[in-house]
Amino acid sequence: MSRIKLKLDRITKVFGDLIAVNDLCVDIFDNEFVCILGPSGCGKTTTLNMLSGLEVPTSGNIILDDKVINKLPPQKRDIGLIFQDYALFENMNVYENLAFSMRVKRKPRDEVDSKVREVAQAVEVSHILKKNYGSLNPGEMQRVAIGRTMISEPSVFLLDEPLDNLDADMRVTMRAELKRLQKDLGKTMIYVTHDQEEAMSLADRIVVMEQGLLQQMDTPQDIYNHPVNRFVAGFIGTPPMNFITCKLESISGKLMLSSLKGSFSMDISEVGRHLYEGTIQKEMILGIRPENVSVNIDDLNGEKRGARILRVEPLGPEMVLEVALEGDPDNVIRALVDPGRIPSVGERIEIIFHQDKIHMIDPLSEEVLI
């Protein structure tokens, strides 16, 4: 296992009556790409600001390479920050922007030139070194901003939603470039974003935050397949996970899960065998992702299929069906399915839950039990 590069030891940040970050404990390994993910106001940018030295923790320690750096100014932390708005010098061309920090330190001209050209090649801006700021497109600006931080050779890179100003195609391109750069450089990168697609595609591990609290830290696949609570389960995934309030009962030796209005009932004895006895005969929340809901659209026998189509959203290679359970119109479920025949709004269908993919959530603690 890699050594711990950066440790957040019970970090808390308070602004007046607001606890922006609450007792955050995170270990980040050497050469790891970590994404801090969460909705607006969850504390992710405040965490980044404390790491960079722009904010001082109210309590707790930030430990880099086994040294507490809480009181060190930003320029002495060996941490490079890449801003969302690029923060380039508008009166300089690309070469001058890249060279600026080395010139301030009065490095020899030959050394500056060699380093600028090396970094320019790494971020693929060698062909635009003489280009002025005003003629750069957003993708080029982002590459120059990354290169300018690389020049100072920090041991940790912090990136604050750096792709927000790019169009969709450029975001995809730059995500791939960032991942390549991180692996080529062999550096630790911490990337703040509210975009789960970015986090899932970039990160070795994801830190999910909400209301200043760490919800879960794990690999993208484990967070997707094994969320620890309802917030993580609902925040990760597009379309989002379905949640249905149900009743769990033991009937004739079988563990039965039924919707409160009787619109469906299923035997979950196999998948629910690990549930403790105290969960029986109580309300539970069934969680299931749209891609784990199958549908039978063709009603050859004219029989009732258990659900009614509310909305159809074609997405090219797949489609989202929004359906209401028969007899329980408040329970709306999304299914992500192959296009095939597109059903009509109001049409009755059968829906099938893949039992090996369901999650059982305690409605009080909101913890995922299975």
Side-chain angles (χ1 to χ4, degrees):
M1 182 180 291
S2 299
R3 70 183 183 93
I4 295 174
K5 178 69 175 180
L6 186 64
K7 186 180 186 71
L8 281 67
D9 183 17
R10 306 198 66 176
I11 292 296
T12 295
K13 181 62 179 180
V14 179
F15 297 100
D17 295 330
L18 173 67
I19 303 177
V21 177
N22 192 352
D23 202 30
L24 182 61
C25 296
V26 170
D27 289 344
I28 297 172
F29 297 114
D30 204 16
N31 305 334
E32 188 174 26
F33 200 128
V34 170
C35 282
I36 303 178
L37 173 68
S40 296
C42 73
K44 57 186 184 294
T45 296
T46 300
T47 300
L48 199 75
N49 288 341
M50 288 190 287
L51 292 175
S52 66
L54 299 178
E55 296 283 356
V56 178
T58 304
S59 62
N61 287 318
I62 301 170
I63 303 169
L64 176 63
D65 290 329
D66 299 322
K67 296 178 182 178
V68 176
I69 63 170
N70 293 30
K71 296 182 179 180
L72 287 180
Q75 66 271 23
K76 293 186 177 180
R77 290 196 174 201
D78 197 21
I79 292 176
L81 177 59
I82 299 171
F83 296 94
Q84 179 180 339
D85 62 357
Y86 315 129
L88 300 177
F89 295 107
E90 297 185 17
N91 61 333
M92 298 181 182
N93 64 22
V94 171
Y95 186 100
E96 291 163 343
N97 264 283
L98 293 175
F100 180 78
S101 63
M102 294 188 73
R103 285 176 171 170
V104 167
K105 295 175 183 177
R106 300 185 182 279
K107 298 291 185 180
R109 179 176 297 181
D110 290 348
E111 182 181 340
V112 172
D113 186 69
S114 175
K115 189 64 178 178
V116 165
R117 295 186 184 281
E118 176 189 336
V119 168
Q121 184 174 1
V123 295
E124 299 182 353
V125 297
S126 297
H127 61 295
I128 58 169
L129 285 176
K130 294 182 179 180
K131 216 174 183 183
N132 291 321
Y133 174 91
S135 60
L136 298 176
N137 65 42
E140 291 169 339
M141 289 184 188
Q142 189 60 75
R143 291 174 187 274
V144 177
I146 293 169
R148 191 181 60 184
T149 302
M150 286 173 57
I151 288 279
S152 60
E153 299 184 330
S155 64
V156 175
F157 286 76
L158 306 180
L159 299 96
D160 186 9
E161 305 200 60
L163 307 185
D164 265 18
N165 297 324
L166 306 181
D167 61 36
D169 288 343
M170 186 59 72
R171 286 171 77 106
V172 172
T173 299
M174 287 306 299
R175 283 207 302 263
E177 286 299 303
L178 279 174
K179 192 70 173 177
R180 176 190 66 80
L181 272 173
Q182 190 264 335
K183 295 304 179 187
D184 288 349
L185 293 171
K187 299 287 188 176
T188 300
M189 284 192 179
I190 303 169
Y191 185 106
V192 162
T193 182
H194 63 275
D195 186 326
Q196 57 169 296
E197 186 177 328
E198 282 184 3
M200 295 290 285
S201 64
L202 283 169
D204 297 317
R205 287 190 300 160
I206 300 173
V207 175
V208 183
M209 295 184 67
E210 167 65 347
Q211 296 183 345
L213 293 168
L214 172 66
Q215 302 294 317
Q216 185 171 356
M217 182 173 187
D218 218 324
T219 64
Q221 281 304 107
D222 278 344
I223 281 180
Y224 190 83
N225 294 321
H226 306 290
V228 298
N229 58 35
R230 179 170 178 165
F231 172 79
V232 176
F235 188 73
I236 302 292
T238 304
M241 184 180 286
N242 298 297
F243 297 109
I244 308 168
T245 302
C246 299
K247 187 174 183 180
L248 192 62
E249 300 175 284
S250 180
I251 301 175
S252 302
K254 295 181 179 179
L255 194 58
M256 303 298 296
L257 186 69
S258 308
S259 66
L260 296 183
K261 294 187 178 181
S263 52
F264 73 86
S265 181
M266 59 182 177
D267 180 359
I268 64 163
S269 301
E270 180 63 25
V271 297
R273 64 186 182 275
H274 299 305
L275 291 174
Y276 56 88
E277 190 65 28
T279 61
I280 311 303
Q281 303 251 350
K282 66 176 287 188
E283 286 189 3
M284 298 285 287
I285 297 173
L286 164 67
I288 186 163
R289 296 200 181 279
E291 63 266 34
N292 298 319
V293 179
S294 295
V295 300
N296 183 357
I297 295 175
D298 294 313
D299 188 358
L300 300 178
N301 298 318
E303 63 185 40
K304 187 176 178 180
R305 293 294 188 174
R308 189 182 296 273
I309 299 285
L310 298 178
R311 188 172 67 90
V312 180
E313 185 181 352
L315 299 174
E318 56 197 6
M319 66 179 172
V320 177
L321 300 181
E322 200 170 89
V323 304
L325 296 174
E326 292 283 1
D328 191 2
D330 293 333
N331 263 327
V332 176
I333 296 170
R334 293 182 183 90
L336 186 66
V337 299
D338 293 334
R341 179 177 75 80
I342 298 179
S344 303
V345 172
E347 189 172 343
R348 287 173 173 164
I349 65 169
E350 179 185 30
I351 61 171
I352 303 157
F353 298 143
H354 297 185
Q355 288 198 24
D356 60 332
K357 300 294 186 180
I358 67 172
H359 299 281
M360 300 303 301
I361 303 169
D362 187 301
L364 296 179
S365 68
E366 297 199 336
E367 292 180 0
V368 176
L369 304 179
I370 59 172

